[in-house]
Amino acid sequence: MSVSIVSARLPTGDTPVCNVTLEPYVLIKRGETTVTADDIPEEGSPEPGLQLRSRWYRSSIPRGGAVCSVHPDKEASVQCTICLKSKVAVHLSYHCTAECFRSSWQQHREYHRQAHANGQENGLDTPGSKVVSSTMSAGGETWVEVSRSRKYTPASDDVGFVLKYECSICDAAHPYIDLGRPMLAFTSRVRPAPNLPVRNLVPLPLPQGVAKGGPNSRFTVLSYNMLADLYAKGDVYNHCPAWTMAWHYRKRNLLKELLTHRPDIMCLQEVQSDHFSEYLHPELTKAGYMGIYKKKTTEIFTGSQYTIDGCATFFRCERFHLVKKYEVEFNKAAISLADQMTNPHQKKATMNRLLKDNVALIAVLEMAPDPERSSKQLICVANTHIHANPELNDVKLWQVHTLLKGLEKIANSADIPMLVAGDFNSIPGSAAHSLLVKGRVEPQQLESSVDPLGLLRDTKLQHSLPLASAYAALLDHPPTTEQLKRQRARLDPTHREPLFTNLNRDFKATLDYVLYTRDSLAPAGLLELPAEAEVVAKPGDSLPNANWSSDHVCLMAEFQILQHKA
Ligand SMILES: [Zn+2]
Ligand SMILES: [Zn+2]
């Protein structure tokens, strides 16, 4: 039976990154059927018969200039001369600008310190640098073999070089006889591993009269819009290098970020349905989480399948179990609102305006038993992604109002601390934000520009939940530490919210919030807010980039459960 390789491809070969495994996709024709590499044993396996022989090589010539060691999506223009004299890995010596070099000097000098662990460093304490000239020597390329397995994980030695994959079919019994021509596939140059965000939890002083409880009376909640892959395509993000936008690149960074913060509860938005089932759910299950998911109500065809994004809520099984979940489809509420209308024109206009497929996911969780607590402790967590169109403020406001009315019902039936988290697509000071944190909308916020169809004219826009925004707590205490002072400066004092949670081209604003009921919970810590300069290489740049893999930054708060008057 004839066997030949039809093709060998590297699906992620255009974006090879240090520490990210490359898996060639090899099609093989065996007689009349076509099989993949998974159906043929690798060379050296004990199975007799035909085997797939794989070789990986690294080019001896660095390609396309070097990249910044801090911002892997930027070309290097500066190289540290101390690194060159020391035995620091070459790729660590590059920076995109002199400013980048200066601002990362604290971290950079650690490389020198490590290289000079034997104490040779003599007073070389100021950064010296030279301008990089990118050289390309022509011809005479040699290739160094780096692996004999099908899958290969680029290491730091590979950074800046291209890789070549070569495969052929061999017969285990006659390993020296070639069976047909080998097939080749090349990668682009290997990128350095990203420098993922480092953000600490800043402890907050507790309100007066609130005693610090044990670890079982505290928990952390994170909210993160992860930028679904289906929205990461097309023109909107064409200013970002394509490889930083690739889902296989972003998904690892996003997961790593989640696992670094290791929140007790995660409210995630823009989680694509197939990415939930194929990646996030299995990976977070391995890490001890349980997850529930609610996808938006209309799917779209992406060229290979129908998919859509939605809200995913995960919680640590060690700390919580799920008592009840409610799936909120705002479309259902829109239909029941329209059903009450008698005027057919009004009915139609309402449906057109309000049918927008957004959802929310509400989970009632019970905390693991605690000897210090006599009764069981429930927590209600609402996770939502409100409609995005900036022109439709009435729709946003109506969705937020609908969600809060649902939560009010739950609150009326049980004495239960509540969390409301997500991407509300509403800026601080907007009508929707006001409804959340003040419990009502001021009449002047309901101008005709907000409610052109008068849909909300007859609705009493208020609720009784004592909600407060977690990050506002930074302004509730005098800043006793440098860290608190720095964090306060990253808040807008008027609206008591972060300066930004979303950084897009031409748009920098806060859209995400973590809210809590202040009669039952008190913020005890907040995940540091980054300054813009820590997120992008230069002002005006936008997200995502090589290090920050969503266009939003996540928020996280630690809460202390307030012990109630018995
Ligand atoms: Zn250096
Ligand atoms: Zn840089």
Side-chain angles (χ1 to χ4, degrees):
M1 183 168 54
S2 76
V3 175
S4 60
I5 297 179
V6 182
S7 66
R9 280 192 308 117
L10 293 166
T12 60
D14 53 342
T15 62
V17 178
C18 183
N19 300 334
V20 182
T21 303
L22 293 160
E23 186 175 350
Y25 184 74
V26 183
L27 276 181
I28 299 152
K29 193 148 198 226
R30 191 163 58 187
E32 288 307 301
T33 56
T34 305
V35 297
T36 71
D38 291 327
D39 303 308
I40 297 225
E42 281 201 46
E43 181 187 31
S45 75
E47 291 169 63
L50 297 176
Q51 300 184 333
L52 182 73
R53 174 185 286 163
S54 292
R55 297 286 184 272
W56 282 92
Y57 302 93
R58 176 175 70 227
S59 163
S60 58
I61 303 166
R63 296 295 164 101
V67 297
C68 175
S69 59
V70 182
H71 305 104
D73 45 347
K74 302 275 183 228
E75 298 293 322
S77 70
V78 169
Q79 187 175 26
C80 171
T81 51
I82 304 170
C83 284
L84 291 180
K85 286 182 216 153
S86 326
K87 288 213 163 54
V88 176
V90 177
H91 71 271
L92 294 175
S93 68
Y94 295 115
H95 289 272
C96 56
T97 59
E99 180 51 39
C100 166
F101 187 33
R102 255 194 305 279
S103 59
S104 56
W105 176 240
Q106 287 305 329
Q107 186 198 337
H108 183 100
R109 67 196 289 186
E110 278 305 308
Y111 304 144
H112 303 168
R113 207 162 278 154
Q114 282 157 19
H116 286 263
N118 52 8
Q120 288 168 345
E121 197 173 55
N122 41 9
L124 291 173
D125 213 29
T126 46
S129 58
K130 68 166 193 167
V131 172
V132 177
S133 59
S134 53
T135 51
M136 275 285 282
S137 71
E141 186 158 22
T142 51
W143 294 87
V144 182
E145 187 182 302
V146 288
S147 169
R148 294 191 163 197
S149 302
R150 181 161 68 93
K151 296 178 193 174
Y152 178 64
T153 307
S156 62
D157 288 348
D158 299 320
V159 171
F161 298 94
V162 302
L163 300 169
K164 174 167 79 171
Y165 173 70
E166 185 185 294
C167 62
S168 54
I169 300 288
C170 61
D171 186 337
H174 310 282
Y176 300 108
I177 299 172
D178 280 339
L179 299 173
R181 259 182 333 120
M183 202 57 87
L184 297 177
F186 294 85
T187 70
S188 304
R189 76 185 140 140
V190 176
R191 298 275 174 172
N195 294 292
L196 293 185
V198 178
R199 298 167 67 186
N200 297 307
L201 194 75
V202 184
L204 288 176
L206 285 172
Q208 261 191 346
V210 174
K212 187 178 167 189
N216 288 333
S217 66
R218 289 171 175 230
F219 61 90
T220 51
V221 183
L222 169 141
S223 183
Y224 202 178
N225 177 326
M226 303 180 80
L227 180 57
D229 188 43
L230 72 151
Y231 304 126
K233 302 192 157 96
D235 296 347
V236 187
Y237 298 100
N238 62 7
H239 56 291
C240 308
W243 62 275
T244 64
M245 296 304 298
W247 174 242
H248 88 91
Y249 176 78
R250 293 199 299 120
K251 71 178 184 184
R252 291 181 78 256
N253 296 345
L254 293 167
L255 179 70
K256 226 169 172 177
E257 203 182 343
L258 294 176
L259 294 179
T260 303
H261 300 321
R262 204 168 163 65
D264 296 314
I265 302 168
M266 304 181 194
C267 296
L268 310 177
Q269 304 86 38
E270 284 201 28
V271 176
Q272 201 168 305
S273 49
D274 49 334
H275 296 157
F276 175 82
S277 55
E278 288 161 21
Y279 185 69
L280 269 182
H281 189 259
E283 289 297 329
L284 288 172
T285 301
K286 269 190 254 167
Y289 286 89
M290 181 181 160
I292 52 176
Y293 182 67
K294 175 67 186 167
K295 66 180 175 183
K296 285 196 209 157
T297 40
T298 308
E299 293 186 309
I300 56 172
F301 190 62
T302 59
S304 56
Q305 59 178 334
Y306 283 93
T307 184
I308 196 64
D309 65 306
C311 296
T313 302
F314 286 92
F315 50 90
R316 278 176 62 200
C317 303
E318 212 176 270
R319 300 217 56 198
F320 296 99
H321 77 261
L322 181 68
V323 176
K324 203 169 169 58
K325 75 167 178 176
Y326 303 89
E327 297 183 350
V328 181
E329 292 182 6
F330 292 114
N331 277 0
K332 283 190 183 158
I335 291 165
S336 79
L337 177 69
D339 278 347
Q340 296 159 22
M341 295 172 174
T342 43
N343 178 333
H345 293 292
Q346 192 194 13
K347 206 177 198 137
K348 196 166 168 229
T350 303
M351 295 281 273
N352 277 344
R353 190 80 171 178
L354 293 184
L355 286 182
K356 291 291 181 279
D357 310 327
N358 299 82
V359 294
L361 183 57
I362 302 172
V364 176
L365 305 176
E366 183 181 338
M367 281 186 107
D370 173 17
E372 285 176 31
R373 204 167 39 225
S374 50
S375 55
K376 62 182 184 179
Q377 179 68 56
L378 297 176
I379 289 167
C380 177
V381 187
N383 173 10
T384 192
H385 188 191
I386 297 297
H387 189 62
N389 187 333
E391 316 250 286
L392 301 182
N393 283 311
D394 52 341
V395 177
K396 297 172 202 271
L397 183 55
W398 175 78
Q399 288 183 348
V400 170
H401 180 254
T402 305
L403 174 63
L404 291 171
K405 285 290 150 188
L407 292 173
E408 229 176 24
K409 272 188 209 149
I410 298 174
N412 289 340
S413 66
D415 185 12
I416 177 170
M418 287 209 166
L419 295 155
V420 188
D423 176 356
F424 293 83
N425 270 311
S426 304
I427 58 171
S430 63
H433 179 256
S434 175
L435 181 61
L436 284 163
V437 298
K438 292 184 180 150
R440 61 180 193 287
V441 177
E442 305 295 345
Q444 67 269 24
Q445 285 182 304
L446 256 194
E447 308 152 345
S448 56
S449 63
V450 173
D451 188 20
L453 304 190
L455 291 175
L456 304 166
R457 217 179 299 140
D458 303 326
T459 312
K460 221 172 171 190
L461 291 166
Q462 58 183 50
H463 67 89
S464 58
L465 300 168
L467 291 179
S469 186
Y471 276 82
L474 278 170
L475 297 171
D476 288 346
H477 316 277
T480 45
T481 62
E482 276 308 308
Q483 206 181 21
L484 281 172
K485 237 179 247 169
R486 246 196 328 272
Q487 286 299 303
R488 269 165 88 112
R490 293 173 191 177
L491 228 59
D492 159 12
T494 312
H495 298 299
R496 301 161 60 87
E497 294 291 354
L499 291 173
F500 69 93
T501 62
N502 179 232
L503 207 54
N504 261 305
R505 192 167 50 176
D506 312 323
F507 187 79
K508 172 185 160 187
T510 291
L511 300 175
D512 308 83
Y513 308 101
V514 176
L515 304 125
Y516 64 98
T517 42
R518 54 179 187 272
D519 60 343
S520 49
L521 298 169
L526 294 167
L527 190 67
E528 278 175 316
L529 295 169
E532 189 177 351
E534 293 167 4
V535 176
V536 290
K538 62 174 195 308
D541 278 5
S542 52
L543 292 178
N545 58 34
N547 300 334
W548 299 75
S549 278
S550 171
D551 57 336
H552 290 247
V553 299
C554 65
L555 299 176
M556 186 171 90
E558 182 181 41
F559 292 101
Q560 163 83 53
I561 300 170
L562 301 182
Q563 290 315 318
H564 271 293
K565 13 21 173 161

